[in-house]
Amino acid sequence: MSQAHSVIRVAIAGAGRMGQAVAAGLEDQDDMELVGLWGRGEDLASLVQAADVLIDFSLPDGTMQALDAVANYGKPLVCGVSGLSDTQMVRLDEVARTVPIVYDRNMSLGVAVLEHSVREAAGSLGMDFEVKISEVHHVHKKDAPSGTALKLGEAVAEARGEQGTGSVKFESERRGEVPGDHEVIMRSPTESLSFAHSVTTRQVFADGAIRAARWVTGKPPGRFLMRDVLFDN
C-alpha cells in the first residue's frame, strides 16, 4: 500500500473524549487532516472510504464495525480500545492479515519506552528478582489491574519465559481523577530497581495514536504495537 497523498487523511471512530482529543491533536499536524469523527448510528463506511487511515477510540462493539470497514476498503487502522474479548481479538488478527493494524492497550509513547525497558531488565535479571506492578487510576476506571499494568506484566513474564503475567504481583488503586500512574518494582534480597511512568493529561494517548497513524500508513498487513512504532528501524 503506498501513500498517494502528501497529506494523510484521518478518520476517527469514537466521538467521545478521546476522539475529540485526537481531533484536537490533528489540528497541529501539517501533514495530516481530519476527515471526520464517527459516532453511533452514523455511516462509518463512507468515512473510512474517504480516509487514508482510521483511528479507533470507540468501544469494543464499535471496534468490530471499524474492523469490518477497514477490511472492506483496505485501510490501515490504529486502535486504542481496551477490553476486547478473546473472540474480538481473533477478529482483529484476521483483519490484520489483510491490512496493517496498530493495536495497543496504551498509546502513550512513554509507556512504550517503559515496556521496552522493563522487558530488557526482566530478561537480564531473571527469576532472582520479584516483580510488583502498582497502578493508580481515576475512580471511574472499572478494570483492575489496568490494561497497561497487564501489558507490563506480560512483558516481564515473556522476558522470563513465563506464560500470561507469570509470577508478577499487582497492586491497584482508584483515586480522584488520576489519568494513570504505573510503577514496576524489581526486588531481590540485596537490591531494588524501579521504573515509573505518570500521565498528567489524556492527550498523550491521542498524540501517540496520531504518531502511530502516521507510521502505519504505507505499512504491509500485520498487527503491530506501539513499541513497533517507536523502535522499528
Side-chain angles (χ1 to χ4, degrees):
M1 185 188 306
S2 62
Q3 177 59 37
H5 307 277
S6 57
V7 174
I8 300 172
R9 300 168 299 183
V10 182
I12 302 171
R17 183 183 298 178
M18 283 306 305
Q20 295 291 338
V22 174
L26 288 173
E27 294 179 0
D28 298 326
Q29 310 301 315
D30 293 335
D31 62 337
M32 308 177 91
E33 66 179 16
L34 176 64
V35 173
L37 285 84
W38 171 76
R40 291 176 181 273
E42 299 175 354
D43 180 17
L44 178 60
S46 61
L47 201 61
V48 172
Q49 188 176 18
D52 297 309
V53 60
L54 175 65
I55 296 177
D56 177 27
F57 274 114
S58 59
L59 294 169
D61 60 343
T63 297
M64 293 303 99
Q65 297 181 60
L67 288 170
D68 289 342
V70 297
N72 287 338
Y73 293 102
K75 301 297 176 72
L77 171 68
V78 173
C79 179
V81 177
S82 60
L84 298 184
S85 68
D86 290 343
T87 300
Q88 290 168 330
M89 287 301 301
V90 168
R91 175 57 179 158
L92 188 147
D93 284 333
E94 288 176 351
V95 175
R97 290 197 285 268
T98 62
V99 299
I101 297 176
V102 175
Y103 173 75
D104 213 309
R105 288 171 287 189
N106 191 310
M107 290 283 164
S108 161
L109 303 180
V111 165
V113 174
L114 175 64
E115 181 196 4
H116 181 79
S117 301
V118 164
R119 186 182 296 272
E120 291 290 318
S124 299
L125 298 175
M127 299 300 296
D128 292 336
F129 282 67
E130 293 183 351
V131 179
K132 183 179 78 172
I133 299 176
S134 302
E135 53 101 352
V136 182
H137 280 87
H138 52 84
V139 295
H140 313 290
K141 188 170 183 61
K142 298 178 180 179
D143 56 320
S146 68
T148 301
L150 292 173
K151 167 189 172 76
L152 294 170
E154 290 163 1
V156 170
E158 288 172 10
R160 304 201 298 188
E162 299 179 294
Q163 298 294 319
T165 54
S167 57
V168 176
K169 298 177 181 178
F170 296 92
E171 185 177 274
S172 300
E173 181 182 352
R174 299 292 173 260
R175 168 165 42 88
E177 296 295 330
V178 179
D181 294 342
H182 295 85
E183 184 177 20
V184 182
I185 302 174
M186 301 179 183
R187 181 177 289 115
S188 77
T190 56
E191 59 183 325
S192 179
L193 180 64
S194 299
F195 301 85
H197 177 266
S198 182
V199 171
T200 57
T201 169
R202 292 184 179 90
Q203 187 64 40
V204 299
F205 308 124
D207 293 344
I210 290 170
R211 179 160 172 173
R214 181 183 291 110
W215 178 88
V216 78
T217 304
K219 286 290 187 292
R223 178 151 78 94
F224 305 97
L225 297 165
M226 284 302 293
R227 71 170 182 258
D228 297 310
V229 175
L230 267 68
F231 300 108
D232 175 41
N233 297 318

